[in-house]
Amino acid sequence: MRFAHSSLVAAIAVLAFSPAVAQKKANRPARDHGKQAIEVALKKLVATEKMLEKLKPKQKVHDRGKGSIENGLKAALSNARRDALKKLLKQNNAAKSNSFKNPKVRPGKVVWHNGFKRATSKADASGKPVLLFQMIGRLDERFS
Amino acid sequence: MLFSNDKIANYINATFEPAWQSVRKSAIVRIDFGNGKTVTRTLNGNIATYICTADGIVLDIIPGVYDPVKYLERLEQAKLLHQWAMQPGRRGKKLTAEQRRKRARLFVNHYHTQQVKSIKNRKEPRVIVEAKMMTIFGVEQTMKLVLKSSLKGKSAGRVARDVSRGRSTNNKPIALPPNLSSRIGKLTPNMLKDDSRYNETVRRIKVHELLAKTGPVKPSAITKKVYKEILNTDLDDPYLGLGKVLFGSYPFKDGGK
């Protein structure tokens, strides 16, 4: 009995590992499992993701336009500019109040033309010579 | 002040087309004595009066400060100068702009060259005289403008009368006054007279030399030169020539070290 069992096992082993058997296996066409084997699993996955997505609260994004960004920036800039201008004016006024103010006076009793060009054009018409008075300082200031 | 003088102001208003021009801001000194008292003065100011044609060509320059009498005399001469240069054309026709420019070109060169020669040879400039000539019938003819030697102490009017009456002129040289530096404060009458004399002699020679050399120019072309070379004030100098006086012996110029 023991001999019969062991010989049977040996026979099966030979058959399983024989080259002919291997060749037969290689030649056998692949079994078509069908797309279901892959698709079903994938479908299940997608469905799960969708469900999860549905469960999330929806946040609507409104298109505000450029004004929301620009207006704020413009306001900030104009405020900064206004502040800077105020500071500059304050400094300037302080400087002016410290500096000497030359009092204005009447430039004598002569009736002066408003500039040399004006005087020459008047002289062209009147035939009179032009008198140009040059000075350091101003004729209409007290200290000159 | 010159232009507050009625005689001068009226004469200018009637005879000229006047304009004034500032060449630079004035240098002002303000001393605070710490007890509420302050004194304010100007430093190194100077003036120049240009006589120009209607085209803006400089005929003559009255340099510096004058006393009212001398300034008026100079203005009268300036008026005669313009009249002489711009005499009407043939048959009394008014000159065109081109003729005016041509006349100015010839006249400026001739007049100032003659003045330079006169000063160098005779030690005095010549004056323009308006002489009214009388005909044998006692009728006054139109005036004749001539360049005559000046008389010391006599006005141009007196010279004119002498020329009209055929009297000879007496030439005497004008003495040159000492060099005058600028002052802080109001000019006294004596200072004005000294200034006038200096201007009439030393500065006037320089004016004649400058205009004889440059020929017909506009005031803007020679302003800096006039101030620097004739009035001794360099307009480009930030300290108006007072740098040495202010900083030369200042003990704290190096920050007190």
Side-chain angles (χ1 to χ4, degrees), chain B residues 182-242:
Chain B
S182 55
R183 292 162 289 272
I184 300 172
K186 202 177 173 182
L187 287 168
T188 63
N190 281 336
M191 283 177 178
L192 273 174
K193 275 188 181 166
D194 288 340
D195 258 346
S196 299
R197 230 180 317 135
Y198 184 74
N199 293 332
E200 274 294 280
T201 50
V202 178
R203 286 187 168 145
R204 284 289 288 162
I205 301 165
K206 291 182 180 180
V207 165
H208 292 308
E209 282 173 344
L210 176 69
L211 292 176
K213 194 176 164 187
T214 57
V217 284
K218 295 200 174 176
S220 54
I222 51 170
T223 298
K224 284 193 178 179
K225 218 169 187 175
V226 167
Y227 270 81
K228 190 174 181 181
E229 293 172 15
I230 299 172
L231 300 173
N232 303 317
T233 307
D234 186 356
L235 295 178
D236 290 329
D237 182 352
Y239 301 110
L240 287 176
L242 295 171

Side-chain angles (χ1 to χ4, degrees), chain B:
Chain B
M1 197 175 114
L2 279 175
F3 304 120
S4 302
N5 182 302
D6 283 322
K7 228 178 172 180
I8 291 177
N10 292 337
Y11 187 76
I12 290 175
N13 287 334
T15 314
F16 298 94
E17 300 290 356
W20 69 269
Q21 186 184 61
S22 172
V23 296
R24 211 204 120 113
K25 272 191 175 178
S26 51
I28 293 172
V29 158
R30 202 151 175 264
I31 306 170
D32 185 348
F33 289 93
N35 56 358
K37 301 274 184 189
T38 55
V39 165
T40 309
R41 294 286 184 269
T42 49
L43 285 180
N44 249 13
N46 223 323
I47 62 171
T49 309
Y50 294 71
I51 308 303
C52 306
T53 65
D55 303 303
I57 304 293
V58 179
L59 290 176
D60 205 357
I61 305 171
I62 306 171
V65 179
Y66 277 70
D67 70 88
V69 171
K70 249 318 183 214
Y71 194 67
L72 200 58
E73 270 184 32
R74 271 276 129 237
L75 290 178
E76 282 165 352
Q77 280 287 288
K79 173 200 162 191
L80 290 174
L81 194 68
H82 180 263
Q83 229 170 314
W84 193 23
M86 298 289 129
Q87 284 182 74
R90 284 180 187 177
R91 294 173 192 173
K93 267 187 179 178
K94 195 182 171 184
L95 296 174
T96 60
E98 184 52 42
Q99 282 174 325
R100 271 204 313 257
R101 276 191 283 273
K102 210 176 176 180
R103 279 274 188 93
R105 211 179 312 132
L106 292 166
F107 176 81
V108 166
N109 187 267
H110 171 75
Y111 171 71
H112 292 287
T113 310
Q114 288 298 310
Q115 290 291 54
V116 169
K117 276 183 191 170
S118 180
I119 291 165
K120 281 182 178 168
N121 297 335
R122 297 161 182 268
K123 305 285 183 203
E124 59 178 1
R126 295 183 171 211
V127 291
I128 303 170
V129 162
E130 185 182 354
K132 287 198 170 77
M133 311 302 280
M134 303 287 275
T135 64
I136 50 170
F137 298 110
V139 176
E140 207 175 82
Q141 267 190 345
T142 49
M143 51 92 184
K144 185 181 170 184
L145 285 163
V146 289
L147 202 58
K148 278 283 168 190
S149 304
S150 65
L151 268 182
K152 187 174 184 291
K154 287 189 183 180
S155 66
R158 175 68 185 272
V159 170
R161 280 198 295 279
D162 287 342
V163 167
S164 302
R165 288 166 194 169
R167 285 180 192 166
S168 61
T169 59
N170 202 3
N171 300 330
K172 274 187 181 177
I174 298 166
L176 298 178
N179 198 354
L180 297 167
S181 56
S182 55
R183 292 162 289 272
I184 300 172
K186 202 177 173 182
L187 287 168
T188 63
N190 281 336
M191 283 177 178
L192 273 174
K193 275 188 181 166
D194 288 340
D195 258 346
S196 299
R197 230 180 317 135
Y198 184 74
N199 293 332
E200 274 294 280
T201 50
V202 178
R203 286 187 168 145
R204 284 289 288 162
I205 301 165
K206 291 182 180 180
V207 165
H208 292 308
E209 282 173 344
L210 176 69
L211 292 176
K213 194 176 164 187
T214 57
V217 284
K218 295 200 174 176
S220 54
I222 51 170
T223 298
K224 284 193 178 179
K225 218 169 187 175
V226 167
Y227 270 81
K228 190 174 181 181
E229 293 172 15
I230 299 172
L231 300 173
N232 303 317
T233 307
D234 186 356
L235 295 178
D236 290 329
D237 182 352
Y239 301 110
L240 287 176
L242 295 171
K244 279 183 185 172
V245 171
L246 290 168
F247 307 116
S249 56
Y250 185 59
F252 305 109
K253 62 184 172 181
D254 296 326
K257 290 172 190 170

Side-chain angles (χ1 to χ4, degrees), chain A residues 2 5 8 17 19 21 33 37 42 45 47-48 50-51 58 74 76 86 89 102 112 130 137-138:
Chain A
R2 242 192 247 163
H5 179 73
L8 184 67
F17 293 105
V21 172
H33 290 277
L42 199 59
L45 184 68
T48 317
K50 276 187 181 174
M51 258 170 58
K58 272 191 182 173
K74 277 181 187 173
K86 269 186 189 170
L89 282 169
N102 207 339
W112 300 100
V130 176
R138 291 183 61 87

